[in-house]
Amino acid sequence: MEYAEKEAEENLTVIEEFILLGFSGLHNLQGFLFGIFLIIYMSILIGNGLIIVITKVDPTLQTPMYFFLGNFSFLEICYTSVTLPRMLTNLWTQNRVISLMACAIQLSFFLILGVTESFLLAVMAYDRYVAICKPLYYPLIMNHKVCVQLVVVSWITGIPAQLVQTYKVISLPFCFNELNHVFCDVPPLLKVACGDTSVQEFSVYAVAVLLGLVPFLSILVFYLKIITTILKLPLVTGRRKAFATCSSHLIVVSLFYRSAIITYMVPKSSKSGIQKFTSLFYTIVTPMFNPVIYSLKNKDVIAALKKLLIKLLA
């Protein structure tokens, strides 16, 4: 028995590169898809870039809420830049090969930035909670030093765990090198791994609960307290104004978490097509609509954008 297992291990082919199948089945639409994803990527860069600029240069937006929004926009640019440029290259050149090392690097950055987004969304919810529930103490609690510390913690919290997660997944023995996905992610990698991957799957669940569910539950708690406080306000106009400051953030939270939960709650799902499109949704579609969501729902952002456009066109 031991000899047979040893011989099987020796016969395993060492996988040094993967093939990202992506949209290879849509032969006649490669050029069209390239154009669509290029437009999406450019809109993400321009839209989120404008948010970063106005939150830095406009005096009326020098508040904690817009400080977090600027950081969130920068995160969205980084997040999409991990996956979209390679997707565009694959569509343009029709060369879908990615080395094991490149796959590991892409996966680690993708996971780390995903955790950063979860924590930054929680920080933004906390900011709204303090602003609405403790308005008199808001300037004291949310001073610049605290804001910077919260952002730094959001960026670095997921690094150790996700580097370990990446190493565990990428060091598995793989039976196949074709990934039915558009980028290197945990679920498609587990599907092509040889033997029992239950330990790695449990690790995915554990990390998802710790680094994904904890920020999500924190957001829920903050918004329960926010809603309770808003309902106690005597004037209807005051309630509307308070809800308006939270609505954009709530939309982004729901878009991000809904698609992420679908993708990661069942890591080794047979529904590769669903995973592929839900992954695209929260890595590409959500960052594209973030500037629109925050601009349309926020008069201060619209006013700042108008001022910036007037300056540029003058």
Coordinates of all heavy atoms in Angstrom, one line a residue, residues 97-174:
V97 N -1.6 31.4 -20.7 CA -0.7 30.8 -19.7 C -0.2 31.7 -18.7 O 0.1 32.9 -18.9 CB 0.5 30.2 -20.5 CG1 1.5 29.6 -19.5 CG2 0.1 29.2 -21.5
I98 N -0.3 31.3 -17.4 CA 0.3 32.0 -16.3 C 1.1 31.1 -15.5 O 0.8 30.0 -15.2 CB -0.9 32.6 -15.4 CG1 -0.3 33.5 -14.3 CG2 -1.8 31.5 -14.9 CD1 -1.4 34.3 -13.5
S99 N 2.3 31.6 -15.1 CA 3.3 30.7 -14.4 C 2.8 30.5 -12.9 O 1.9 31.3 -12.4 CB 4.7 31.4 -14.3 OG 4.6 32.6 -13.6
L100 N 3.3 29.5 -12.3 CA 2.9 29.2 -10.9 C 3.2 30.4 -10.0 O 2.4 30.7 -9.1 CB 3.6 27.9 -10.4 CG 3.2 27.4 -9.0 CD1 1.8 26.9 -9.0 CD2 4.2 26.3 -8.6
M101 N 4.4 31.0 -10.2 CA 4.8 32.1 -9.4 C 3.9 33.3 -9.6 O 3.4 34.0 -8.6 CB 6.2 32.5 -9.7 CG 6.8 33.7 -8.8 SD 6.6 33.4 -7.0 CE 7.9 32.1 -6.8
A102 N 3.6 33.6 -10.9 CA 2.7 34.7 -11.2 C 1.3 34.5 -10.6 O 0.6 35.4 -10.1 CB 2.6 34.9 -12.7
C103 N 0.9 33.2 -10.7 CA -0.4 32.9 -10.1 C -0.5 33.1 -8.6 O -1.4 33.6 -8.1 CB -0.8 31.4 -10.5 SG -2.4 30.9 -9.9
A104 N 0.6 32.7 -7.9 CA 0.7 32.9 -6.5 C 0.7 34.4 -6.1 O 0.0 34.8 -5.1 CB 2.0 32.2 -6.0
I105 N 1.4 35.2 -6.9 CA 1.5 36.6 -6.6 C 0.1 37.2 -6.8 O -0.4 38.0 -6.0 CB 2.5 37.3 -7.5 CG1 3.9 36.8 -7.1 CG2 2.4 38.8 -7.4 CD1 5.0 37.3 -8.1
Q106 N -0.5 36.9 -7.9 CA -1.9 37.4 -8.2 C -2.9 37.0 -7.1 O -3.6 37.8 -6.6 CB -2.4 36.9 -9.5 CG -3.7 37.6 -9.9 CD -4.2 37.0 -11.3 OE1 -4.5 35.8 -11.4 NE2 -4.4 37.9 -12.2
L107 N -2.8 35.7 -6.7 CA -3.7 35.2 -5.7 C -3.5 35.9 -4.3 O -4.5 36.3 -3.7 CB -3.5 33.7 -5.5 CG -4.4 33.0 -4.4 CD1 -5.9 33.2 -4.7 CD2 -4.0 31.6 -4.3
S108 N -2.2 36.1 -3.9 CA -2.0 36.7 -2.6 C -2.4 38.2 -2.6 O -3.1 38.6 -1.6 CB -0.5 36.7 -2.3 OG 0.3 37.3 -3.3
F109 N -2.2 39.0 -3.6 CA -2.6 40.3 -3.7 C -4.1 40.4 -3.7 O -4.7 41.3 -3.1 CB -2.0 41.1 -4.9 CG -0.7 41.6 -4.7 CD1 0.5 41.0 -5.2 CD2 -0.5 42.8 -3.9 CE1 1.7 41.5 -4.9 CE2 0.8 43.3 -3.7 CZ 1.9 42.7 -4.2
F110 N -4.8 39.5 -4.5 CA -6.2 39.5 -4.6 C -6.8 39.2 -3.2 O -7.8 39.9 -2.8 CB -6.6 38.4 -5.6 CG -8.1 38.3 -5.8 CD1 -8.8 39.3 -6.4 CD2 -8.8 37.2 -5.2 CE1 -10.2 39.1 -6.6 CE2 -10.1 37.1 -5.4 CZ -10.9 38.0 -6.0
L111 N -6.3 38.3 -2.5 CA -6.9 37.9 -1.2 C -6.6 39.0 -0.2 O -7.5 39.4 0.6 CB -6.3 36.6 -0.7 CG -6.7 35.3 -1.5 CD1 -5.9 34.1 -0.9 CD2 -8.2 35.1 -1.5
I112 N -5.4 39.6 -0.2 CA -5.1 40.6 0.8 C -5.9 41.9 0.6 O -6.5 42.4 1.5 CB -3.6 41.0 0.7 CG1 -2.7 39.9 1.2 CG2 -3.3 42.3 1.4 CD1 -1.2 40.0 0.9
L113 N -6.1 42.3 -0.7 CA -6.9 43.5 -1.0 C -8.4 43.2 -0.7 O -9.1 44.1 -0.3 CB -6.7 43.9 -2.5 CG -5.3 44.4 -2.8 CD1 -5.1 44.6 -4.3 CD2 -5.0 45.7 -2.0
G114 N -8.8 42.0 -0.9 CA -10.2 41.6 -0.5 C -10.5 41.8 0.9 O -11.5 42.3 1.3
V115 N -9.5 41.4 1.8 CA -9.7 41.5 3.2 C -9.6 43.0 3.6 O -10.4 43.5 4.4 CB -8.6 40.8 4.0 CG1 -8.6 41.1 5.5 CG2 -8.7 39.3 3.8
T116 N -8.7 43.8 2.9 CA -8.6 45.2 3.1 C -9.9 45.9 2.9 O -10.4 46.8 3.6 CB -7.5 45.8 2.3 OG1 -6.3 45.2 2.5 CG2 -7.4 47.3 2.5
E117 N -10.6 45.5 1.8 CA -11.9 46.1 1.4 C -12.9 45.8 2.5 O -13.7 46.7 2.9 CB -12.4 45.6 0.1 CG -13.7 46.2 -0.3 CD -13.9 46.2 -1.8 OE1 -12.9 45.9 -2.6 OE2 -15.0 46.6 -2.3
S118 N -13.0 44.6 3.0 CA -13.9 44.2 4.1 C -13.7 45.1 5.3 O -14.7 45.6 5.9 CB -13.7 42.7 4.5 OG -14.1 41.9 3.5
F119 N -12.4 45.3 5.7 CA -12.2 46.0 6.9 C -12.4 47.5 6.7 O -12.8 48.3 7.6 CB -10.7 45.8 7.4 CG -10.6 44.6 8.3 CD1 -10.4 43.3 7.7 CD2 -10.8 44.6 9.7 CE1 -10.3 42.2 8.5 CE2 -10.7 43.5 10.5 CZ -10.4 42.2 9.9
L120 N -12.1 48.0 5.5 CA -12.3 49.4 5.2 C -13.8 49.8 5.2 O -14.2 50.8 5.6 CB -11.6 49.8 3.9 CG -11.3 51.3 3.6 CD1 -10.5 51.9 4.8 CD2 -10.5 51.5 2.4
L121 N -14.6 48.9 4.7 CA -16.0 49.0 4.7 C -16.5 49.1 6.1 O -17.4 49.9 6.4 CB -16.7 47.9 3.9 CG -16.6 48.0 2.4 CD1 -17.2 46.7 1.8 CD2 -17.4 49.2 1.8
A122 N -15.9 48.3 7.0 CA -16.3 48.3 8.4 C -15.9 49.6 9.1 O -16.6 50.2 9.9 CB -15.7 47.1 9.1
V123 N -14.7 50.1 8.7 CA -14.2 51.4 9.2 C -15.1 52.5 8.8 O -15.5 53.4 9.6 CB -12.8 51.7 8.8 CG1 -12.4 53.1 9.0 CG2 -11.8 50.7 9.5
M124 N -15.6 52.5 7.5 CA -16.5 53.5 7.0 C -17.8 53.5 7.8 O -18.5 54.5 8.0 CB -16.7 53.4 5.5 CG -15.4 53.6 4.7 SD -15.5 53.2 3.0 CE -16.4 54.5 2.3
A125 N -18.3 52.3 8.1 CA -19.5 52.1 8.9 C -19.4 52.7 10.3 O -20.3 53.4 10.8 CB -19.9 50.6 8.9
Y126 N -18.2 52.4 10.9 CA -17.9 53.0 12.2 C -17.9 54.5 12.2 O -18.4 55.2 13.1 CB -16.6 52.5 12.7 CG -16.1 53.1 14.0 CD1 -16.7 52.8 15.2 CD2 -15.0 53.9 14.0 CE1 -16.3 53.3 16.4 CE2 -14.6 54.5 15.2 CZ -15.2 54.2 16.4 OH -14.8 54.7 17.6
D127 N -17.3 55.1 11.1 CA -17.3 56.5 11.0 C -18.7 57.1 10.9 O -19.0 58.1 11.6 CB -16.6 56.9 9.7 CG -16.7 58.4 9.3 OD1 -16.1 59.2 10.1 OD2 -17.3 58.7 8.4
R128 N -19.6 56.5 10.2 CA -21.0 56.9 10.1 C -21.7 56.7 11.5 O -22.5 57.5 11.9 CB -21.8 56.1 9.1 CG -21.4 56.4 7.6 CD -21.6 57.9 7.2 NE -20.4 58.8 7.7 CZ -20.6 60.0 8.0 NH1 -21.7 60.6 8.0 NH2 -19.5 60.7 8.4
Y129 N -21.4 55.6 12.2 CA -21.9 55.4 13.5 C -21.6 56.5 14.5 O -22.4 57.0 15.2 CB -21.4 54.0 14.0 CG -21.5 53.9 15.5 CD1 -22.8 53.7 16.2 CD2 -20.4 53.9 16.3 CE1 -22.8 53.6 17.5 CE2 -20.5 53.8 17.7 CZ -21.7 53.6 18.3 OH -21.8 53.5 19.7
V130 N -20.3 56.9 14.5 CA -19.8 57.9 15.4 C -20.5 59.3 15.0 O -20.9 60.0 15.9 CB -18.3 58.1 15.4 CG1 -17.9 59.2 16.3 CG2 -17.7 56.8 15.9
A131 N -20.6 59.6 13.7 CA -21.1 60.8 13.2 C -22.6 61.0 13.6 O -23.0 62.1 13.9 CB -20.9 60.9 11.7
I132 N -23.3 59.9 13.5 CA -24.8 60.0 13.8 C -25.2 59.7 15.2 O -26.0 60.4 15.8 CB -25.5 59.0 12.8 CG1 -25.4 59.4 11.4 CG2 -27.0 58.9 13.2 CD1 -25.8 58.4 10.4
C133 N -24.5 58.8 15.8 CA -24.8 58.4 17.2 C -24.1 59.2 18.3 O -24.6 59.3 19.4 CB -24.6 56.9 17.4 SG -25.5 55.8 16.3
K134 N -22.9 59.7 17.9 CA -22.2 60.5 18.9 C -21.6 61.8 18.2 O -20.4 62.0 18.2 CB -21.0 59.7 19.5 CG -21.4 58.4 20.2 CD -20.2 57.6 20.7 CE -20.7 56.4 21.4 NZ -19.6 55.6 22.0
P135 N -22.5 62.6 17.7 CA -22.1 63.8 16.9 C -21.2 64.8 17.7 O -20.3 65.4 17.1 CB -23.4 64.4 16.5 CG -24.4 63.9 17.5 CD -24.0 62.5 17.9
L136 N -21.5 65.0 19.0 CA -20.7 65.9 19.8 C -19.3 65.5 20.0 O -18.4 66.3 20.1 CB -21.4 66.1 21.1 CG -22.8 66.8 21.1 CD1 -23.4 66.9 22.5 CD2 -22.8 68.2 20.5
Y137 N -19.1 64.2 20.0 CA -17.7 63.7 20.2 C -17.0 63.3 18.9 O -15.9 62.8 18.9 CB -17.8 62.4 21.1 CG -18.3 62.7 22.5 CD1 -19.6 62.4 22.8 CD2 -17.5 63.2 23.5 CE1 -20.1 62.7 24.1 CE2 -18.0 63.5 24.8 CZ -19.3 63.2 25.0 OH -19.8 63.5 26.3
Y138 N -17.7 63.5 17.8 CA -17.2 63.1 16.5 C -15.8 63.7 16.2 O -14.9 62.9 15.8 CB -18.2 63.4 15.4 CG -17.7 63.0 14.0 CD1 -17.7 61.6 13.7 CD2 -17.3 63.9 13.0 CE1 -17.3 61.2 12.4 CE2 -16.9 63.5 11.8 CZ -16.9 62.1 11.5 OH -16.5 61.7 10.2
P139 N -15.6 65.0 16.3 CA -14.3 65.6 16.0 C -13.2 65.0 16.9 O -12.0 64.9 16.5 CB -14.4 67.1 16.2 CG -15.9 67.3 16.1 CD -16.5 66.0 16.7
L140 N -13.5 64.7 18.1 CA -12.6 64.2 19.1 C -12.2 62.7 18.8 O -11.0 62.3 18.8 CB -13.1 64.3 20.5 CG -12.2 63.9 21.7 CD1 -10.9 64.8 21.7 CD2 -12.9 63.9 23.0
I141 N -13.2 61.9 18.6 CA -13.0 60.5 18.3 C -12.4 60.2 17.0 O -11.4 59.5 16.9 CB -14.4 59.7 18.4 CG1 -14.9 59.8 19.8 CG2 -14.2 58.2 18.0 CD1 -16.3 59.2 20.0
M142 N -12.9 60.9 15.9 CA -12.4 60.7 14.6 C -11.4 61.7 14.2 O -11.5 62.4 13.1 CB -13.6 60.6 13.6 CG -14.6 59.5 13.9 SD -13.9 57.9 14.0 CE -13.4 57.6 12.2
N143 N -10.4 61.9 15.0 CA -9.3 62.9 14.6 C -8.4 62.3 13.5 O -8.5 61.1 13.2 CB -8.5 63.3 15.8 CG -7.8 62.1 16.5 OD1 -6.9 61.5 16.0 ND2 -8.3 61.8 17.7
H144 N -7.6 63.1 12.9 CA -6.8 62.6 11.8 C -5.9 61.4 12.1 O -5.7 60.5 11.3 CB -5.9 63.8 11.2 CG -5.1 63.4 10.0 ND1 -5.7 63.1 8.8 CD2 -3.8 63.2 9.8 CE1 -4.8 62.8 7.9 NE2 -3.6 62.8 8.5
K145 N -5.3 61.4 13.3 CA -4.4 60.4 13.7 C -5.2 59.0 13.8 O -4.7 58.0 13.3 CB -3.8 60.7 15.1 CG -2.8 59.6 15.6 CD -2.2 60.0 16.9 CE -1.2 58.9 17.4 NZ -0.7 59.3 18.8
V146 N -6.4 59.1 14.4 CA -7.2 57.8 14.5 C -7.6 57.4 13.1 O -7.5 56.1 12.8 CB -8.4 58.1 15.3 CG1 -9.4 56.9 15.3 CG2 -8.1 58.4 16.8
C147 N -7.9 58.3 12.2 CA -8.3 57.9 10.8 C -7.2 57.2 10.1 O -7.4 56.2 9.5 CB -8.8 59.1 10.1 SG -10.3 59.9 10.7
V148 N -6.0 57.7 10.2 CA -4.8 57.1 9.6 C -4.6 55.7 10.2 O -4.3 54.8 9.4 CB -3.6 58.0 9.8 CG1 -2.3 57.3 9.3 CG2 -3.7 59.3 9.0
Q149 N -4.7 55.6 11.5 CA -4.4 54.3 12.2 C -5.5 53.3 11.7 O -5.1 52.1 11.5 CB -4.5 54.5 13.7 CG -3.3 55.2 14.3 CD -3.5 55.5 15.8 OE1 -4.6 55.5 16.3 NE2 -2.4 55.8 16.4
L150 N -6.7 53.7 11.6 CA -7.8 52.8 11.1 C -7.5 52.3 9.7 O -7.7 51.1 9.4 CB -9.1 53.4 11.2 CG -9.7 53.6 12.6 CD1 -10.9 54.5 12.6 CD2 -10.0 52.3 13.3
V151 N -7.0 53.2 8.8 CA -6.7 52.8 7.4 C -5.5 51.9 7.4 O -5.6 50.9 6.7 CB -6.5 54.1 6.6 CG1 -5.9 53.7 5.2 CG2 -7.8 54.9 6.4
V152 N -4.5 52.2 8.2 CA -3.3 51.3 8.2 C -3.7 49.9 8.7 O -3.2 48.9 8.1 CB -2.2 52.0 9.1 CG1 -1.1 51.0 9.3 CG2 -1.7 53.2 8.4
V153 N -4.4 49.8 9.7 CA -4.9 48.5 10.3 C -5.7 47.8 9.2 O -5.5 46.6 9.0 CB -5.7 48.7 11.5 CG1 -6.4 47.4 11.9 CG2 -4.8 49.2 12.7
S154 N -6.5 48.5 8.5 CA -7.3 47.8 7.4 C -6.4 47.2 6.3 O -6.7 46.1 5.8 CB -8.3 48.8 6.8 OG -9.2 49.3 7.7
W155 N -5.4 47.9 6.0 CA -4.5 47.5 4.9 C -3.6 46.3 5.3 O -3.3 45.5 4.5 CB -3.6 48.6 4.4 CG -4.3 49.5 3.4 CD1 -5.0 50.7 3.7 CD2 -4.3 49.4 2.0 NE1 -5.5 51.2 2.5 CE2 -5.1 50.4 1.5 CE3 -3.7 48.5 1.1 CZ2 -5.3 50.6 0.1 CZ3 -4.0 48.6 -0.2 CH2 -4.7 49.7 -0.7
I156 N -3.2 46.3 6.6 CA -2.2 45.3 7.0 C -2.8 44.0 7.7 O -2.1 43.0 7.8 CB -1.1 45.9 7.9 CG1 -1.6 46.3 9.2 CG2 -0.4 47.0 7.2 CD1 -0.6 46.8 10.2
T157 N -4.0 44.1 8.1 CA -4.6 43.0 8.9 C -4.6 41.7 8.2 O -4.2 40.6 8.8 CB -6.0 43.4 9.4 OG1 -6.0 44.6 10.2 CG2 -6.7 42.2 10.2
G158 N -4.9 41.7 6.9 CA -5.1 40.4 6.2 C -3.8 39.9 5.6 O -3.8 38.7 5.1
I159 N -2.7 40.6 5.7 CA -1.4 40.2 5.0 C -0.9 38.8 5.6 O -0.7 37.9 4.8 CB -0.4 41.3 5.1 CG1 -0.8 42.5 4.3 CG2 1.0 40.8 4.6 CD1 0.1 43.7 4.4
P160 N -0.7 38.7 6.9 CA -0.1 37.4 7.3 C -1.0 36.2 7.0 O -0.5 35.2 6.4 CB 0.0 37.6 8.9 CG 0.0 39.0 9.1 CD -0.9 39.6 8.0
A161 N -2.3 36.2 7.3 CA -3.2 35.1 7.1 C -3.3 34.8 5.6 O -3.3 33.6 5.3 CB -4.5 35.4 7.7
Q162 N -3.4 35.8 4.8 CA -3.6 35.5 3.4 C -2.3 35.0 2.7 O -2.4 34.3 1.7 CB -4.2 36.8 2.7 CG -5.5 37.2 3.2 CD -6.6 36.2 2.9 OE1 -6.3 35.0 2.7 NE2 -7.8 36.6 3.0
L163 N -1.2 35.4 3.2 CA 0.1 34.9 2.6 C 0.2 33.4 3.0 O 0.6 32.6 2.1 CB 1.3 35.7 3.2 CG 1.5 37.1 2.6 CD1 2.7 37.7 3.3 CD2 1.8 37.0 1.1
V164 N -0.2 33.0 4.2 CA -0.2 31.6 4.6 C -1.2 30.9 3.7 O -0.9 29.7 3.3 CB -0.5 31.5 6.1 CG1 -0.7 30.0 6.5 CG2 0.6 32.1 6.9
Q165 N -2.4 31.5 3.5 CA -3.4 30.8 2.7 C -2.9 30.6 1.3 O -3.1 29.5 0.7 CB -4.6 31.7 2.7 CG -5.8 31.2 1.9 CD -6.9 30.7 2.8 OE1 -6.6 30.0 3.7 NE2 -8.1 31.0 2.4
T166 N -2.3 31.6 0.7 CA -1.8 31.4 -0.6 C -0.7 30.3 -0.7 O -0.8 29.5 -1.6 CB -1.1 32.8 -1.1 OG1 -2.1 33.8 -1.0 CG2 -0.6 32.6 -2.5
Y167 N 0.2 30.3 0.3 CA 1.2 29.2 0.3 C 0.6 27.8 0.4 O 1.0 26.9 -0.3 CB 2.2 29.5 1.4 CG 3.2 28.3 1.6 CD1 4.3 28.3 0.7 CD2 3.1 27.4 2.6 CE1 5.2 27.2 0.8 CE2 4.0 26.3 2.7 CZ 5.0 26.3 1.8 OH 5.9 25.2 1.9
K168 N -0.4 27.7 1.2 CA -1.0 26.4 1.4 C -1.7 25.9 0.1 O -1.6 24.7 -0.3 CB -2.1 26.5 2.5 CG -1.5 26.5 3.9 CD -2.6 26.5 5.0 CE -2.0 26.4 6.4 NZ -3.1 26.5 7.4
V169 N -2.4 26.8 -0.6 CA -3.1 26.5 -1.8 C -2.2 26.2 -2.9 O -2.3 25.2 -3.7 CB -4.1 27.6 -2.1 CG1 -4.8 27.3 -3.5 CG2 -5.2 27.7 -1.1
I170 N -1.2 27.1 -3.1 CA -0.3 27.0 -4.3 C 0.7 25.9 -4.2 O 1.2 25.4 -5.2 CB 0.4 28.4 -4.5 CG1 0.6 28.6 -6.0 CG2 1.7 28.4 -3.7 CD1 -0.6 29.0 -6.7
S171 N 0.9 25.4 -2.9 CA 1.9 24.3 -2.7 C 1.2 22.9 -2.9 O 1.9 21.9 -2.7 CB 2.6 24.4 -1.4 OG 1.6 24.4 -0.3
L172 N -0.1 22.9 -3.1 CA -0.8 21.6 -3.3 C -0.3 20.9 -4.6 O 0.1 21.5 -5.5 CB -2.3 21.8 -3.4 CG -3.1 22.3 -2.2 CD1 -4.5 22.7 -2.6 CD2 -3.2 21.1 -1.2
P173 N -0.4 19.6 -4.6 CA -0.1 18.8 -5.9 C -1.3 19.0 -6.8 O -2.5 18.8 -6.4 CB 0.1 17.4 -5.4 CG -0.7 17.3 -4.1 CD -0.6 18.6 -3.5
F174 N -1.1 19.4 -8.0 CA -2.2 19.6 -9.0 C -2.2 18.5 -10.0 O -1.1 18.2 -10.6 CB -2.0 21.0 -9.6 CG -2.1 22.1 -8.6 CD1 -1.0 22.8 -8.2 CD2 -3.4 22.5 -8.2 CE1 -1.1 23.8 -7.3 CE2 -3.5 23.6 -7.3 CZ -2.4 24.2 -6.8

